[in-house]
Amino acid sequence: MAGTGTRGYSGDGGPATSARVYDPHGVAIDAQGNLFIGDFGNFRVRRVDASTGIITTVAGNGKYGYSGDGGPATQAELRQPLGVALDRSGNLFVSDTYRIRRVDAASGMITTVAGNGTNVVTGDGGPATEAGIGIAIEIKLENFPKYVRRQHLKRFIAMYEIFKLILPVKGSIVECGVFRGFSVMAWAKLSTILEPENLTRRIYGFDSFGGFPSVSDADRAGAGVAAPGDFQTTSYQELLELIRVYDQDRFLGHLPKVELIPGDASITIPEFVQRNTHLLVSLLFLDFDLYEPTKVALEQLVPRMPRGAVLAFDELDNPSWPGETKALLDSLPLNRLKIQRLEWDPYVGYAILD
């Protein structure tokens, strides 16, 4: 879409594929499909027109620094234009070394809207432009092992190990219990990395996105802690937007890959299976925590799993969530499943169906 593969700065006013860029970082696409690139090494933000493919500079004059607020964005100095984003009106936001700068869509004028340029976190409750906003989020994400807690990194590695088991198995991935989206987006990105041409492997995520719709006696047994409304989240709209961005950053991105199915899974899973008569499941990952939706998922989806498929659980043998274990005991012959665990992870249990 842009760049020749050779570092440099050239090509404004011509085809983007003939232009040189230098260490491009963040990208964003506006409602018209125009592409914006954080051209980090050139201290610029550049735009590729969706209709013509022509590239232009929309912010930055190529000099390293901080200047130009209140004037044309193309005459301003930028330091590290790492991240770019757009709002619904087409205004451009640039993450620029402990500051967020805004380029007005109508006038092309640049202003600083947050951050004072210092690598500290200060200023809550005061003007945004006087606040210290610390290390840019893009830099933290690029260096995430420095910041992420051990247990979260371990969980991602667990997802990777499970995913490798299904690479030769036909079928889609069903995530039961999306919550904030860690696992469902892990499956999506692992598929993009490890099997970019597997266009029929879809990732389906079920969740109420409103907390537990109801809780049964099985979920309260013993030390059970479940209560209606637990794990309510506002992640649904955010995930839809992240899926859109994900589709822009993968091979065959014009074909659907991730689908979220909101609502009470005890109802939505049977409806989904009835609508999708083609469905095969290579990985069923159960993280509902509760008896009823877990039992429905097992009864509806296990018959669609071929030999070699992986059935995985997140809360088996956990006294806080007894409903998941009871759902398994009431649905499948336990002694015919070899439920294994990863040596370094206490939660995930899985069985390879044979």
Side-chain angles (χ1 to χ4, degrees):
M1 298 182 71
T4 63
T6 302
R7 286 181 173 179
Y9 173 72
S10 69
D12 269 9
T17 51
S18 300
R20 290 187 179 185
V21 294
Y22 196 138
D23 200 10
H25 274 58
V27 297
I29 296 177
D30 68 12
Q32 290 72 45
N34 302 304
L35 174 68
F36 292 77
I37 304 167
D39 195 354
F40 176 80
N42 285 319
F43 316 120
R44 292 176 168 95
V45 177
R46 306 179 75 181
R47 175 186 182 274
V48 180
D49 188 275
S51 301
T52 64
I54 299 298
I55 191 169
T56 54
T57 293
V58 294
N61 62 8
K63 296 180 180 179
Y64 177 86
Y66 172 70
S67 71
D69 271 8
T74 52
Q75 296 178 20
E77 293 179 352
L78 305 178
R79 295 182 67 183
Q80 292 181 330
L82 284 166
V84 292
L86 296 125
D87 66 13
R88 293 180 184 274
S89 300
N91 301 304
L92 173 67
F93 293 81
V94 184
S95 172
D96 184 25
T97 313
Y98 317 130
R99 293 182 175 94
I100 303 298
R101 307 182 75 181
R102 176 185 182 272
V103 180
D104 185 83
S107 67
M109 296 296 180
I110 192 169
T111 53
T112 296
V113 294
N116 62 12
T118 59
N119 184 17
V120 295
V121 180
T122 61
D124 277 4
T129 52
E130 295 177 16
I133 57 175
I135 296 176
I137 188 64
E138 292 82 9
I139 295 176
K140 287 190 174 182
L141 289 173
E142 290 169 3
N143 295 277
F144 72 93
K146 287 170 56 179
Y147 303 100
V148 71
R149 289 180 177 272
R150 168 188 50 81
Q151 58 266 38
H152 301 310
L153 184 59
K154 185 165 61 174
R155 185 168 180 84
F156 183 78
I157 297 171
M159 303 293 99
Y160 170 66
E161 293 295 332
I162 295 293
F163 194 96
K164 286 194 296 182
L165 297 174
I166 66 162
L167 282 172
V169 182
K170 187 69 174 175
S172 292
I173 296 169
V174 178
E175 167 84 14
C176 292
V178 173
F179 194 38
R180 295 194 177 100
F182 185 107
S183 295
V184 75
M185 294 310 295
W187 306 131
K189 295 192 176 185
L190 287 169
S191 181
T192 297
I193 294 167
L194 299 177
E195 48 174 21
E197 295 185 1
N198 192 353
L199 56 92
T200 61
R201 174 119 59 208
R202 307 293 174 87
I203 294 94
Y204 301 110
F206 290 87
D207 202 294
S208 72
F209 295 100
F212 293 157
S214 61
V215 174
S216 71
D217 291 340
D219 301 307
R220 298 191 184 95
V225 297
D230 282 354
F231 294 102
Q232 183 176 3
T233 177
T234 58
S235 65
Y236 180 67
Q237 291 298 328
E238 179 196 37
L239 284 169
L240 291 180
E241 176 62 17
L242 290 172
I243 290 167
R244 185 185 69 81
V245 173
Y246 159 79
D247 286 337
Q248 296 167 0
D249 188 39
R250 66 179 177 88
F251 185 57
L252 301 175
H254 63 292
L255 298 175
K257 188 71 171 179
V258 183
E259 180 179 348
L260 303 179
I261 302 93
D264 185 341
S266 299
I267 299 170
T268 58
I269 289 176
E271 292 176 344
F272 180 84
V273 171
Q274 187 174 14
R275 287 196 311 270
N276 294 275
T277 55
H278 66 281
L279 179 68
L280 292 181
V281 179
S282 60
L283 169 60
L284 176 57
F285 192 85
L286 292 160
D287 195 14
F288 282 141
D289 302 336
L290 302 179
Y291 174 79
E292 185 61 32
T294 302
K295 186 170 184 290
V296 170
L298 289 168
E299 292 172 346
Q300 293 285 322
L301 297 170
V302 170
R304 291 177 173 267
M305 301 178 71
R307 293 179 62 186
V310 174
L311 175 61
F313 301 83
D314 196 51
E315 302 292 354
L316 279 187
D317 195 34
N318 188 332
S320 297
W321 307 104
E324 186 168 301
T325 299
K326 182 165 174 55
L328 171 60
L329 295 173
D330 289 353
S331 303
L332 297 174
L334 181 63
N335 57 8
R336 295 183 60 183
L337 295 174
K338 182 181 179 182
I339 299 179
Q340 306 175 70
R341 60 176 292 269
L342 299 164
E343 294 89 344
W344 34 266
D345 181 82
Y347 294 107
V348 176
Y350 67 93
I352 301 173
L353 302 187
D354 54 20

